[in-house]
Amino acid sequence: MTIRSGSARYDGLGKDGKGHVSTQSGVLSDQPYGFNTRFENEPGTNPEELIAAAHASCFTMALSFALAKAGHSAGSLETTAKVALEKDGDGFKITRSDLTLSGHVDGIEEAEFRRIADEAKAGCPVSKVLNAEISLETSFG
């Protein structure tokens, strides 16, 4: 079993509070987040973009390994994930993650590429943890 960790600190409460988020690896270290970075596009991060980055990277790696397992050895993949945060009663809910994939893999037919990509979308660990609709749009060539 692999265990990774992240941590968050929030000083103050509500809209006036200021948070900082860090990751075990140190890639993020006391990066600011809060109401203004989440809803008003101020500099800093927010949970949704972190989930989007995690989903895009997890899916792309899963697809890379699936393509290699299918016998392909050369190509490139680029994925963007857009995570939607919507009002849900008195709170909010992440309702979807839309993956947009652009890829080129030597010697593969488009139908096989799309099939393997769909399997990777369903099988990547981040897709499995999200309780939201997940779409995939592919660009091949």
Side-chain angles (χ1 to χ4, degrees):
M1 174 184 356
T2 301
I3 297 175
R4 301 287 185 232
S5 67
S7 63
R9 182 181 80 250
Y10 212 80
D11 298 315
L13 301 176
K15 288 183 181 181
D16 295 329
K18 301 292 181 200
H20 292 84
V21 61
S22 299
T23 57
Q24 173 184 340
S25 68
V27 169
L28 295 179
S29 180
D30 282 328
Q31 291 300 301
Y33 82 100
F35 180 85
N36 295 336
T37 65
R38 197 172 198 181
F39 297 106
E40 297 178 352
N41 294 320
E42 284 196 12
T45 191
N46 58 72
E48 292 72 37
E49 79 174 2
L50 296 173
I51 290 170
H55 198 197
S57 61
C58 181
F59 162 73
T60 306
M61 181 182 277
L63 178 55
S64 172
F65 275 74
L67 289 163
K69 184 178 179 182
H72 302 283
S73 59
S76 63
L77 307 167
E78 186 171 335
T79 307
T80 300
K82 292 184 179 179
V83 169
L85 179 69
E86 296 184 35
K87 192 82 169 124
D88 182 38
D90 290 337
F92 292 88
K93 178 180 180 180
I94 293 173
T95 56
R96 60 184 303 116
S97 180
D98 297 315
L99 299 169
T100 302
L101 165 66
S102 177
H104 173 81
V105 178
D106 293 346
I108 194 171
E109 295 293 322
E110 185 172 358
E112 181 185 9
F113 179 77
R114 288 181 185 276
R115 178 187 59 76
I116 294 172
D118 281 335
E119 290 170 1
K121 177 191 79 155
C124 103
V126 174
S127 288
K128 290 178 180 180
V129 78
L130 293 176
N131 185 15
E133 180 179 340
I134 301 169
S135 70
L136 171 63
E137 179 181 318
T138 60
S139 162
F140 180 77

